[in-house]
Structures are given as structure tokens and as C-alpha cells.
Amino acid sequence: MADIILQARDLCKSFSSEGVQNHVLNNMDLDIYKGDFTVIMGASGSGKSTLLYSLSGMDRPTSGKVIYDGEDITEYNEKRMAELRVYEFGFVFQQIHLVSNLSIRENILVPGYMNKDTRTKETENRADELIKKMNIESAADRLPAQVSGGEAQRGAIARAVINSPGILFADEPTGALNRRNTQDVLDLLTELNVEGQSILMVTHDVRAAIRANRIIYIEDGRIIGELKLSQYIEEDRKSRESQIDAWLGSMQW
Ligand SMILES: Nc1ncnc2c1ncn2[C@@H]1O[C@H](COP(=O)(O)OP(=O)(O)OP(=O)(O)O)[C@@H](O)[C@H]1O
């Protein structure tokens, strides 16, 4: 059994608006395993992004624990939480957040330069390696506005993994991409996972979910189902799609 890398215990998140409480996450217990490609699925509004943000320290839960590396990160102060997000966690979103007046290469380098544990030369070598792996050599010295959406997202993934994060969190990373770019980004995520990168991804797209070896299904902020899969290989694409479609059907998807 793989090691647990992240745990949620009795996790609750509520939002209040005009005196009305919206209980989005309800007493959730969840273990995420090291090296897994875990996907969270569920209907719109079921709490997928809220769960991802609560687990990754992007937002604070209302109550409950989130344990990473043996520590309850919900007890961290803002400074420690910010450090965790830069050095230990990587993030990729549907909307690509790159600094507009920095080149793709510079965007990738910034969190690497912030990391006091790595030397400048080491960071620059790793950035070059990632630029090659992401196949964005010709885009690397251009500004985000001068590259395609797919190139920008691959740059954002390189930036997210420059500090070799314990977990890469991805919220609908292919949601704004066309079919070709979606495949490229998913291939990269799969490659990173095969190399050992733990990934936790929210998606409603079965083509993205087939890359996972574990899918968690949530409804009204509760886990109601889980599907375990073997490591993704291209030859299994069709059969995995059918398997996940059938499973999602059983979840009333
Ligand atoms: N900052 C916020 N303030 C108030 N309510 C919020 C906030 N963020 C999320 N919610 C509410 O929490 C619920 C779950 O939202 P969330 O974005 O987690 O769902 P989701 O499953 O990711 O949905 P989608 O698939 O549509 O992105 C929704 O009812 C949403 O309106």
C-alpha cells in the first residue's frame, strides 16, 4: 500500500451569505496516496474546487484537519502557508495565470528563484529541462500573450513543478484548451505522474479522468464513490472511457 501524502479529517467548509449558511464540504475524510494520479469528479456545484482549495491551503476550511507531511496545515499562519504553496505544492488552473510582462521562461524561473534551497544554476538547468520536456523551446522567450493557449498552459505546468512539489494540484487544467492541446497537456501530466509526481486533479471531462489511477466522486460535499484503475496506458483509452462512463452512470452523473 502506498504512503499517504495528504489527509483530510472531518473537513467542513461553509460559506455564509446574507445570514444563510451554505455547507459545501461536509465532514469529509479523505486519504491521498503518494505517487497517485487522483481525480475528483462530481456534478457542477458539488464542491470539487472548494475541496481542492481547502486541501491545498489556497483557502481555509471552516473546521477539520488537513495533514501534510505529518502536520495539520490548517494551523499554519499565513507566512508558513504561503511557503507551503510555493515550495511544497504546485498549482495549475483552467485560467492560465502567468505574469504578462515576463517571458514564459522567466515565469517558470520565478518560483525556482524564490526557493532558498536550490542554487540559481540548478534552477536554470531544471527550467531548461522542463522547457524541453514540455516542448515549448520556441515559445520560451516570448511573452504569454505571444504564445498559444496550449504553450502557455504547458509553461504553467513547468512553473508548477519547478520546485519538485510534493503534490501538483490541478483544477480543470484542460478546461480552456482545444482537443489537440488537451491531449498534449494530459500526456505531460501522465508523464510527470509516471516519473513519480503525485497529482490531484479536478475535472468533469472523462478524457482527462481516464489518466487517473483513482477517481473520487463527490456529491453535496460528501464522497459517495471511488473507482480504482491501473496505471494509464494509451492502448487502454477506449476501455477506460467505457469503464468510467459506466461507473459515472451508477453515480447518477
Ligand atoms: N467564495 C465563495 N463564496 C460563496 N460561495 C461559494 C464560494 N466558492 C464556492 N461557493 C459555493 O460552493 C458550492 C461549490 O462550489 P465549487 O466551485 O466547489 O463547485 P464545483 O463542484 O467545483 O463546481 P463546478 O464544476 O461548476 O466548477 C457552490 O454552491 C458555490 O456557489
Side-chain angles (χ1 to χ4, degrees):
M1 172 69 86
D3 294 339
I4 294 169
I5 190 164
L6 189 71
Q7 277 185 311
R9 285 293 173 267
D10 210 14
L11 196 68
C12 297
K13 177 74 183 177
S14 307
F15 296 102
S16 70
S17 157
E18 294 168 1
V20 179
Q21 289 279 319
N22 181 8
H23 300 291
V24 177
L25 300 180
N26 296 293
N27 311 93
M28 216 181 245
D29 288 332
L30 177 62
D31 293 338
I32 301 296
Y33 298 97
K34 196 171 183 176
D36 269 8
F37 193 148
T38 310
V39 153
I40 301 167
M41 296 191 87
S44 181
S46 56
K48 302 181 294 296
S49 297
T50 304
L51 175 60
L52 193 85
Y53 297 158
S54 294
L55 290 174
S56 62
M58 295 257 305
D59 198 2
R60 289 193 185 264
T62 307
S63 63
K65 293 178 190 225
V66 176
I67 298 156
Y68 176 73
D69 213 6
E71 293 187 19
D72 181 4
I73 65 169
T74 65
E75 292 185 349
Y76 282 6
N77 62 22
E78 276 313 314
K79 181 171 178 285
R80 184 77 187 85
M81 200 70 121
E83 286 170 356
L84 184 81
R85 289 193 301 258
V86 175
Y87 306 133
E88 294 288 339
F89 293 165
F91 296 91
V92 190
F93 303 96
Q94 176 171 345
Q95 298 306 328
I96 304 161
H97 302 282
L98 292 169
V99 182
S100 59
N101 59 350
L102 296 181
S103 71
I104 298 293
R105 182 191 302 276
E106 288 163 339
N107 267 281
I108 296 168
L109 282 166
V110 167
Y113 286 152
M114 286 164 73
N115 189 348
K116 293 175 212 78
D117 291 339
T118 47
R119 291 165 190 275
T120 303
K121 190 72 205 149
E122 225 177 289
T123 299
E124 288 170 355
N125 288 346
R126 171 133 173 97
D128 286 341
E129 237 174 66
L130 287 168
I131 285 167
K132 208 162 164 203
K133 184 200 278 278
M134 306 289 153
N135 197 17
I136 48 172
E137 286 111 314
S138 57
D141 293 316
R142 286 191 249 136
L143 296 173
Q146 297 168 331
V147 305
S148 73
E151 288 167 333
Q153 188 62 304
R154 281 179 275 151
I157 294 172
R159 185 186 54 177
V161 297
I162 184 95
N163 287 327
S164 307
I167 307 180
L168 176 61
F169 294 92
D171 192 0
E172 299 279 6
T174 57
L177 301 179
N178 65 23
R179 204 184 168 85
R180 176 71 256 154
N181 286 327
T182 291
Q183 288 313 316
D184 288 348
V185 162
L186 292 172
D187 285 346
L188 279 171
L189 293 176
T190 301
E191 194 179 331
L192 288 168
N193 176 244
V194 166
E195 289 166 4
Q197 176 68 59
S198 307
I199 300 176
L200 182 59
M201 176 171 84
V202 164
T203 187
H204 61 256
D205 184 351
V206 173
R207 284 173 310 172
I210 57 169
R211 305 300 179 120
N213 66 299
R214 182 179 178 216
I215 306 178
I216 310 280
Y217 192 87
I218 71 172
E219 189 180 278
D220 298 331
R222 291 187 178 84
I223 296 168
I224 64 157
E226 177 176 342
L227 180 68
K228 291 217 171 88
L229 297 156
S230 52
Q231 171 78 52
Y232 174 82
I233 50 166
E234 185 65 27
E235 292 68 35
D236 289 349
R237 171 193 293 273
K238 282 263 168 323
S239 65
R240 282 169 95 93
E241 270 182 21
S242 315
Q243 188 184 355
I244 295 169
D245 272 335
W247 177 73
L248 288 172
S250 74
M251 296 282 119
Q252 316 294 325
W253 164 257

